[in-house]
Each structure stands twice: as structure tokens, then as C-alpha cells.
């Protein structure tokens, strides 16, 4: 759904026979969304960023968990995101969406704080999109 996603490749997919949980691991290639002013720094001057996403879809419990982390800049940054979509206990027609993110940037000197602030804003923007992209839990 995100216009910055260039490609997504499923690298692993399987179903746990005992639970019915569908597991997927995907690698996404996204456009580098770091602002041009920050790309003056050599390590930020790359066209694409790679992310790894793992998901667990449980159709019986009508829930889906997703974990993703950045594969680019791992020597300088750690960016991890966890999301859960599940049926609401208040109303089975509603979906609860819970998201957590962690960001840590080192080795960029005075830019650490600026880059963490930018990454935080990027995750918040993703959370807003995630709340609009509620999964449908059908067995079709």
C-alpha cells in the first residue's frame, strides 16, 4: 500500500499443521525516504532501503502479528516494529490494532538525535497507514 515500496519478495512461507498458523518472511525494498539534506552524509546516500518482515496469521483466533526490522545500516541503526491485529473483545466486527516501535541510532555523532526523530515520525506515519489497512480474517 505504501508508495515508497519498490518490491516485496516472499523468502519463506509455511503453515503449522497443528495450529493452522500461516508464517511468512518477506524482504521489502523501499525508496530511501531520508530527506535530501541528511543525505549529504555518505552512509545515507543510498537509493534503496531493505526491510525484513515476518508475519503470523492465525485464522482460528482471527489475529495477525507482524515484526519488521531494517536490514540496511545495521552497523549504525536498529529499527524494529511490532504490530498486532486482532478481533476486539468488545465487538467481533471491530479490529484492535497495537503497534510498538524501537529506534536506536549510533555512530552518527550529532546526527543521532535528528535521525532518531525522523525515524520516529516515519514509524508514526506507518502506524496511521496500518490502522487503515485492517486485515480481513476469512477462511476463503
Amino acid at each position: 500500500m505504501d508508495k515508497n515500496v519498490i518490491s516485496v519478495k516472499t523468502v519463506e512461507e509455511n503453515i503449522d499443521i497443528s495450529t493452522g498458523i500461516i508464517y511468512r518472511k518477506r524482504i521489502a525494498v523501499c525508496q530511501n525516504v531520508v530527506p535530501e539534506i541528511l543525505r549529504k552524509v555518505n552512509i545515507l546516500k543510498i537509493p534503496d532501503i531493505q526491510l525484513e518482515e515476518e508475519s503470523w496469521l492465525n485464522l482460528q483466533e482471527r489475529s495477525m502479528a507482524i515484526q519488521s526490522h531494517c536490514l540496511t545500516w545495521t552497523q549504525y541503526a536498529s529499527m524494529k516494529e511490532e504490530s498486532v491485529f486482532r478481533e476486539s473483545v468488545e465487538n467481533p466486527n471491530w479490529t484492535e490494532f497495537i503497534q510498538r516501535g524501537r529506534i536506536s541510532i549510533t555512530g552518527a555523532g550529532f546526527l543521532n538525535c535528528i535521525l532518531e526523530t525522523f525515524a520516529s515520525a516515519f514509524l508514526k506515519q506507518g502506524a496511521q497507514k496500518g490502522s487503515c489497512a485492517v486485515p480481513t480474517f476469512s477462511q476463503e
Side-chain angles (χ1 to χ4, degrees):
M1 284 184 63
D2 193 303
K3 65 179 174 147
N4 296 309
V5 176
I6 297 167
S7 67
V8 178
K9 180 181 178 183
T10 301
V11 294
E12 185 179 344
E13 182 172 0
N14 57 55
I15 299 173
D16 183 322
I17 302 301
S18 64
T19 63
I21 294 174
I22 301 167
Y23 168 80
R24 288 188 183 102
K25 182 188 287 189
R26 305 186 308 173
I27 304 294
V29 178
C30 305
Q31 292 177 355
N32 185 349
V33 294
V34 173
E36 284 295 324
I37 189 77
L38 296 176
R39 288 196 215 177
K40 303 294 181 199
V41 178
N42 277 342
I43 62 168
L44 301 177
K45 234 187 256 184
I46 60 171
D48 304 329
I49 298 169
Q50 287 193 340
L51 303 171
E52 180 181 79
E53 176 189 89
E54 293 179 282
S55 65
W56 297 264
L57 176 60
N58 186 330
L59 293 173
Q60 289 177 344
E61 293 184 7
R62 297 175 44 103
S63 66
M64 183 169 70
I66 302 171
Q67 292 182 357
S68 61
H69 65 274
C70 188
L71 298 174
T72 308
W73 301 311
T74 55
Q75 69 272 36
Y76 304 105
S78 171
M79 190 165 140
K80 190 171 190 174
E81 183 178 9
E82 299 170 358
S83 302
V84 174
F85 298 87
R86 65 181 177 212
E87 184 180 293
S88 172
V89 292
E90 294 177 31
N91 183 335
N93 294 318
W94 295 349
T95 301
E96 292 179 1
F97 172 58
I98 303 160
Q99 185 176 48
R100 288 183 287 277
R102 290 184 293 278
I103 303 162
S104 175
I105 298 177
T106 59
F110 72 95
L111 288 177
N112 286 358
C113 184
I114 294 170
L115 292 171
E116 284 179 359
T117 301
F118 173 75
S120 176
F122 184 73
L123 283 178
K124 285 178 186 174
Q125 183 182 39
Q128 290 171 340
K129 288 179 185 176
S131 65
C132 295
V134 176
T136 303
F137 301 110
S138 66
Q139 302 242 4
E140 299 173 8

